[in-house]
Amino acid sequence: MPQTTDPAAALQHPNPARAPRIHRAWFVAAVTFVTIIGAAAFRSLPGLLIDPLHAEFGWSRGTIGAAVSVNLALYGLTAPFAAALMDRFGIRRVVAVALTVIALGSGLTVWMTAAWQLLLCWGLLVGLGSGSMALAFAATVTNRWFTARRGLVTGILTAASASGQLIFLPLLSWMVETYDWRPAAVTVALAALAVVPFVWLLLRDHPADVGLEPYGADVFVPKPPPVTGAARRTIGVLRSAVRTGPFWLLAGTFAICGASTNGLIQTHFVPAAHDHGLPVTAAASLLAVIGVFDVVGTIASGWFTDRFEPRRLLAVYYALRGLSLLFLPMLLGPAIHPPMIFFIVFYGLDWVATVPPTLALCREQYGEDSAIVFGWVLASHQVGAALVAWLGGVARDVFGTYDMVWYASGALCAAAALMALVIRRRPMPSVPALAV
């Protein structure tokens, strides 16, 4: 007896093959995780090079901090355009090119002899490359491949950056102290290049490319056509978003997040601890411990975001972070003691725990444009980081201490907690999901 074909069923599942027990989306998430780890190698390097570059070339900490600030600013400003480029050219192509640019910029630093070359290689090239590998990449993968478990996946992919820090910080600090800063820069370049084949061979742009529905959805989602005019669309989304209050609150809180993490701790913690007599390798090891607990905290934050109100989570995260920064000047010393270990563990749990609830609020407020909007919110994160990376170095040159920077950042975090609470919620439409 001939079989009949249901057109509606064919539309929902064009590939009649039995679905695999493990959805392909989890393999794509795994490749994305490894890719972000490779790109995160460079994020481990700036704080380790401030003292060596100051000693070798005589550049002021403010000058070196300026190069870091250019890198951090471009890291953020490139992200929304990268999200649009991924819609136009595909995730694989954009990410592979970005990793190559990171490797080029990091590798060229070994021949620099002037401060403008530091700004070009470390600031411009690596800033552009790492910006294309920013959290907008994770947001794009999550939005395309997942309907269920988005908060959890966002937390896992965000934790990849911390995992890269955990892997590379002890190795790079040992290289810098034992040999020179140049082998560390070459190691970062090779790490970025090593990930390119994985991206090209294993990453896929959309579930429709392999005949699957997104994880957690019960209907097939066709792959959208390439979106032309990436820059025009990115600017258009920004123009629309800036007319809304939640955008400014999200951008403001995330700018403070960047100022108190990448700009402050990641850039200046090692030299600040060294000012108090702590060896560089010991200080770098503490940052690596932050990376360990960052993985735990970020994944837990993704789990919480799927279950609790994101605004209140953000308020709690920022309030606790600000409180911890106020105590840091009293904890720095020539040896590692239990209160410092408590600070490191606590700060690690809170490091980028803000990302899953921030992304959830972007998705709630801006729907299909949420990845690009989050890219602009991330740009504010990096502008805040850039300002503190530069101002922290200037403050150290002027006052001979970082204490003023710790206190100011703690006060900013308290302001961010209040800003998070006044973001107005928008109801999310219910999405049918498969049982897990």
Side-chain angles (χ1 to χ4, degrees):
M1 182 174 180
Q3 294 182 344
T4 59
T5 302
D6 184 356
L11 177 62
Q12 290 184 352
H13 298 284
N15 183 0
R18 186 167 60 91
R21 296 185 63 181
I22 300 178
H23 196 284
R24 180 67 176 267
W26 293 109
F27 292 101
V28 172
V31 174
T32 304
F33 186 90
V34 173
T35 303
I36 296 175
I37 285 178
F42 189 83
R43 315 306 312 164
S44 305
L45 201 55
L48 302 177
L49 299 190
I50 290 179
D51 286 338
L53 292 177
H54 174 70
E56 179 172 339
F57 298 105
W59 301 333
S60 70
R61 290 175 175 82
T63 297
I64 301 170
V68 177
S69 69
V70 170
N71 172 276
L72 293 173
L74 287 175
Y75 177 90
L77 294 173
T78 304
F81 294 96
L85 286 172
M86 288 177 189
D87 288 341
R88 174 66 178 88
F89 298 105
I91 298 174
R92 285 197 303 170
R93 293 179 181 177
V94 173
V95 171
V97 171
L99 287 167
T100 304
V101 172
I102 290 174
L104 179 65
S106 182
L108 288 176
T109 58
V110 301
W111 289 290
M112 67 183 178
T113 57
W116 68 267
Q117 295 167 346
L118 177 67
L119 288 166
L120 174 64
C121 297
W122 193 351
L124 179 63
L125 290 179
V126 178
L128 289 174
S130 58
S132 300
M133 291 292 305
L135 293 175
F137 169 41
T140 301
V141 170
T142 304
N143 288 349
R144 290 186 183 184
W145 281 89
F146 291 87
T147 297
R149 302 291 186 267
R150 280 178 168 175
L152 176 63
V153 175
T154 300
I156 292 172
L157 296 183
T158 303
S161 180
S163 299
Q165 176 175 294
L166 164 66
I167 292 169
F168 288 103
L169 253 178
L171 173 64
L172 296 177
S173 63
W174 173 78
M175 285 184 173
V176 170
E177 194 156 272
T178 305
Y179 299 103
D180 189 20
W181 61 268
R182 290 176 177 83
V186 172
T187 300
V188 169
L190 293 177
L193 281 178
V195 181
V196 173
F198 289 95
V199 170
W200 195 255
L201 295 174
L202 301 177
L203 195 62
R204 291 295 179 267
D205 292 331
H206 196 277
D209 290 341
V210 290
L212 293 174
E213 68 279 355
Y215 176 81
D218 56 3
V219 294
F220 180 78
V221 179
K223 183 177 181 179
V227 180
T228 59
R232 183 170 61 252
R233 182 190 176 204
T234 303
I235 298 298
V237 169
L238 176 63
R239 287 175 178 171
S240 176
V242 296
R243 297 188 181 98
T244 65
F247 174 81
W248 292 106
L249 291 169
L250 288 168
T253 56
F254 224 39
I256 294 171
C257 177
S260 56
T261 53
N262 300 82
L264 182 64
I265 297 295
Q266 191 166 41
T267 303
H268 293 293
F269 178 79
V270 171
H274 190 55
D275 283 347
H276 288 77
L278 192 67
V280 171
T281 51
S285 297
L286 290 176
L287 277 185
V289 174
I290 285 181
V292 175
F293 287 94
D294 185 10
V295 174
V296 177
T298 307
I299 295 175
S301 178
W303 187 86
F304 290 144
T305 301
D306 286 332
R307 290 159 176 80
F308 300 104
E309 187 177 346
R311 297 181 309 159
R312 295 181 179 177
L313 289 176
L314 285 178
V316 171
Y317 295 157
Y318 285 121
L320 294 177
R321 182 185 299 179
L323 185 64
S324 66
L325 284 172
L326 296 179
F327 285 96
L328 181 57
M330 296 179 283
L331 303 179
L332 293 170
I336 300 175
H337 44 79
M340 173 57 78
I341 294 175
F342 178 80
F343 170 84
I344 292 297
V345 171
F346 182 84
Y347 213 83
L349 292 172
D350 196 19
W351 183 267
V352 285
T354 56
V355 173
T358 300
L359 181 53
L361 288 170
C362 285
R363 191 180 296 120
E364 173 186 300
Q365 296 284 338
Y366 304 105
E368 294 182 355
D369 291 330
S370 61
I372 296 178
V373 173
F374 181 71
W376 284 114
V377 172
L378 178 63
S380 71
H381 179 282
Q382 296 308 116
V383 169
L387 285 173
V388 171
W390 172 57
L391 291 174
V394 172
R396 172 61 177 80
D397 289 335
V398 173
F399 300 109
T401 178
Y402 284 101
D403 288 358
M404 185 70 68
V405 185
W406 307 130
Y407 295 136
S409 296
L412 285 174
C413 289
L418 295 176
M419 292 166 64
L421 289 175
V422 300
I423 298 174
R424 289 184 296 178
R425 298 294 308 274
R426 175 179 293 181
M428 287 287 288
S430 60
V431 179
L434 294 174
V436 178

